[in-house]
Amino acid sequence: MSNLIYPTLDLFLYALKSPLNATQEEIDKNQENFLSQLPDGTQIEECDGETEYKELTKPAQIDFKPNDDLEGYYYPVRLNDTYGLQIDCSVKNQTDPQPSECFKLLKTEIESQLNRELAIIGQTWILSGFLPEDSFQNPEDIAQDCYHALFNDKNLQQKGKGTFLGGSIFEFWRPRNLAQNESSDRHIVIAIYPNQESGEKAANFYTDWMGLFCYRNKIIWAYWQSRLVKESLIHHYKKIEENRKIIDRDNYWHNKQNFTTSRKIVNNINDILQQYTVDLLKLSFQKQVIEINLSDYQTRLTFIKEKVGKDNQLDLFEDFINLANRKYLLQINKDIENMQLGLQLLKDTINAIRSHIEVEKAARDRNFQEIVAVVGAGVATVSLLKEPVKDCKDIFSKTDICEYPFSFSLAIGVLVGFVFWLLRKRLL
């Protein structure tokens, strides 16, 4: 059985304070949701503008005591446009070894403190404790037992291990399962210290972990947001293709009613194209979010390494930097390139449709002009014959033409119009 003294579980939660293009009402609502995570009556000290790291309450930690055996606290902060919250819970005993199963109790207590309506962008669990004197337990075995106490997950994925303050540190990570509607990745860090002194020193690094894991979770969140944007772009593209195929059908333009329909289709394509362009900008924005937070992650990790000293090995956290560069940024860059090409193809498609409509419009205008010209010639002829026909009795006194002067004029007008139409066909 794996035993640790003073087992402690910390949950780091992150929620957006002011997302892109958020209204003041939405920002206020985010603050209200974050406050609802804290004990009733808690007041936070906000400030205008950006702030890299600000503690939101005085005192900075808000203690809570669930029962006589456990103790814990809240630690709310703001990191630029993001709220961060650490919820700490530990066994109130710093002398007797505790079994690894006690982390299940600590997790249950922390989750009972959570407000389920708080929309988070990510979270990280940190399990810690120190070994009893003269312990011969394998730290890696202890870490695995602690992990299984926290999550009943057979697909254990250990991403790295190192040394920290003379002890062992491990990282476990499992990407979110979209099929199970998981809101964030499962990220767990387990630190096992050699003695109480190292465990007490580790408390000085909580603010550093708060910042480091904030950048990490924002990078992963931005990547998953980019996947949603990509799906939206593909959906827009398919919609435009469906409209294009309607117009490309055989004999489509031979139906006069389709000329009006085609204009509606073009307007529909224009609307979709605008949405496509906006989504393409969102994709570039998520790329920038990843780049900025990746730079901050590297800076913070370097600071932690310098703070802890050379005798510690924290390269396990650098694997995430390689992942972000090799997978996240590379994938988004390819998506942007492909979607920009798709945008050009869509613009070419709509320009071709517009050209076709203009050709059809010109042909219809030409036909209309011919009708006007023919009718005009006939009307002019009727007008010219109107007066002479009245005196036709002197010329056609023995015919019935003079009995029906209007009919005679109309017939002559139709005949002239027909001859005029034939001449236009031959000349044009």
Side-chain angles (χ1 to χ4, degrees):
M1 179 179 291
S2 299
N3 294 319
L4 287 175
I5 297 177
Y6 198 51
T8 301
L9 180 62
D10 291 275
L11 175 61
F12 291 82
L13 290 176
Y14 302 97
L16 283 180
K17 174 186 182 293
S18 51
L20 180 66
N21 296 329
T23 63
Q24 187 58 48
E25 182 180 356
E26 291 171 333
I27 293 174
D28 293 342
K29 183 62 177 177
N30 290 339
Q31 183 184 96
E32 179 183 341
N33 290 338
F34 184 72
L35 267 173
S36 68
Q37 183 60 72
L38 303 173
D40 293 340
T42 301
Q43 299 292 324
I44 62 175
E45 297 182 355
E46 274 283 20
C47 65
D48 296 330
E50 294 294 320
T51 176
E52 184 176 353
Y53 195 102
K54 176 177 175 56
E55 296 176 340
L56 295 178
T57 59
K58 289 186 179 179
Q61 295 180 358
I62 305 171
D63 295 333
F64 69 88
K65 294 183 179 180
N67 55 53
D68 293 338
D69 298 325
L70 304 179
E71 60 184 356
Y73 62 83
Y74 297 94
Y75 176 61
V77 299
R78 177 182 159 194
L79 305 99
N80 291 321
D81 64 345
T82 306
Y83 287 122
L85 177 63
Q86 175 192 3
I87 305 178
D88 175 281
C89 191
S90 57
V91 174
K92 195 177 179 181
N93 185 327
Q94 299 190 29
T95 56
D96 300 323
Q98 306 292 329
S100 57
E101 284 77 9
C102 70
F103 282 107
K104 184 180 297 183
L105 175 64
L106 298 178
K107 180 172 180 282
T108 300
E109 185 56 45
I110 287 178
E111 289 180 336
S112 70
Q113 305 290 330
L114 296 177
N115 180 352
R116 297 298 180 182
E117 294 184 1
L118 180 65
I120 64 172
I121 62 174
Q123 62 182 33
T124 294
W125 295 90
I126 297 184
L127 294 77
S128 61
F130 57 90
L131 295 170
E133 291 185 10
D134 302 324
S135 173
F136 297 99
Q137 301 176 90
N138 185 341
E140 190 163 354
D141 292 338
I142 297 175
Q144 292 187 12
D145 289 342
C146 292
Y147 177 91
H148 288 301
L150 213 62
F151 300 101
N152 186 19
D153 185 359
K154 295 180 181 180
N155 299 319
L156 182 65
Q157 296 189 30
Q158 180 177 322
K159 291 298 180 180
K161 60 181 179 179
T163 57
F164 179 59
L165 297 176
S168 300
I169 189 167
F170 305 88
E171 183 181 35
F172 299 86
W173 175 46
R174 193 197 72 183
R176 70 185 66 187
N177 189 330
L178 296 179
Q180 297 180 5
N181 294 322
E182 291 183 350
S183 60
S184 62
D185 291 15
R186 179 181 296 175
H187 183 226
I188 302 99
V189 174
I190 300 177
I192 300 172
Y193 304 110
N195 49 51
Q196 183 174 358
E197 182 182 0
S198 296
E200 291 174 351
K201 287 182 180 179
N204 298 323
F205 287 85
Y206 277 138
T207 56
D208 300 304
W209 297 135
M210 174 70 82
L212 184 73
F213 298 140
C214 176
Y215 304 135
R216 183 190 190 279
N217 281 287
K218 287 182 73 173
I219 290 170
I220 296 174
W221 176 81
Y223 178 71
W224 284 108
Q225 289 297 114
S226 75
R227 299 307 87 201
L228 297 177
V229 174
K230 181 182 177 181
E231 289 181 6
S232 179
L233 284 165
I234 293 174
H235 175 74
H236 295 327
Y237 191 93
K238 289 180 178 179
K239 281 290 184 182
I240 293 177
E241 279 295 295
E242 289 174 3
N243 284 277
R244 182 189 62 79
K245 289 178 180 179
I246 293 174
I247 293 179
D248 286 348
R249 290 174 184 169
D250 293 339
N251 300 322
Y252 176 85
W253 296 102
H254 295 287
N255 189 334
K256 294 181 179 181
Q257 294 180 348
N258 286 342
F259 184 75
T260 303
T261 304
S262 64
R263 289 184 173 277
K264 294 180 180 179
I265 290 177
V266 169
N267 291 335
N268 186 33
I269 291 177
N270 269 329
D271 293 340
I272 298 174
L273 198 59
Q274 290 179 0
Q275 297 172 12
Y276 187 99
T277 304
V278 170
D279 279 349
L280 193 55
L281 292 175
K282 289 181 180 178
L283 197 60
S284 297
F285 174 76
Q286 298 304 336
K287 174 191 172 184
Q288 292 178 355
V289 171
I290 292 176
E291 290 175 337
I292 292 171
N293 284 279
L294 184 58
S295 175
D296 291 338
Y297 181 93
Q298 291 173 302
T299 301
R300 177 64 67 173
L301 182 57
T302 299
F303 175 80
I304 293 174
K305 286 183 175 182
E306 293 175 351
K307 181 177 177 180
V308 72
K310 296 181 179 179
D311 295 334
N312 296 271
Q313 180 61 256
L314 296 176
D315 291 344
L316 72 161
F317 296 117
E318 290 188 353
D319 292 340
F320 180 74
I321 298 174
N322 298 329
L323 175 68
N325 282 309
R326 187 182 70 255
K327 179 180 178 181
Y328 298 161
L329 288 177
L330 181 61
Q331 183 64 58
I332 293 180
N333 282 328
K334 287 183 178 180
D335 291 339
I336 292 174
E337 182 180 343
N338 292 335
M339 296 305 170
Q340 284 178 337
L341 178 60
L343 178 62
Q344 187 58 50
L345 292 174
L346 294 176
K347 287 182 177 179
D348 292 343
T349 297
I350 196 171
N351 288 335
I353 295 173
R354 283 173 175 164
S355 298
H356 204 149
I357 291 176
E358 291 301 321
V359 170
E360 291 293 323
K361 182 177 180 297
R364 292 172 184 272
D365 290 345
R366 190 162 56 249
N367 292 336
F368 179 74
Q369 291 172 1
E370 287 185 1
I371 293 173
V372 171
V374 170
V375 172
V379 171
T381 302
V382 171
S383 299
L384 291 173
L385 291 176
K386 183 177 180 181
E387 293 300 327
V389 167
K390 293 179 181 179
D391 302 325
C392 69
K393 292 182 179 180
D394 296 336
I395 303 173
F396 304 104
S397 58
K398 297 181 179 181
T399 66
D400 295 333
I401 295 176
C402 297
E403 298 295 329
Y404 305 98
F406 177 76
S407 299
F408 174 72
S409 300
L410 183 61
I412 295 298
V414 171
L415 179 62
V416 171
F418 178 72
V419 173
F420 185 77
W421 178 77
L422 287 177
L423 290 174
R424 283 180 59 87
K425 285 294 182 181
R426 287 178 176 274
L427 296 176
L428 301 177

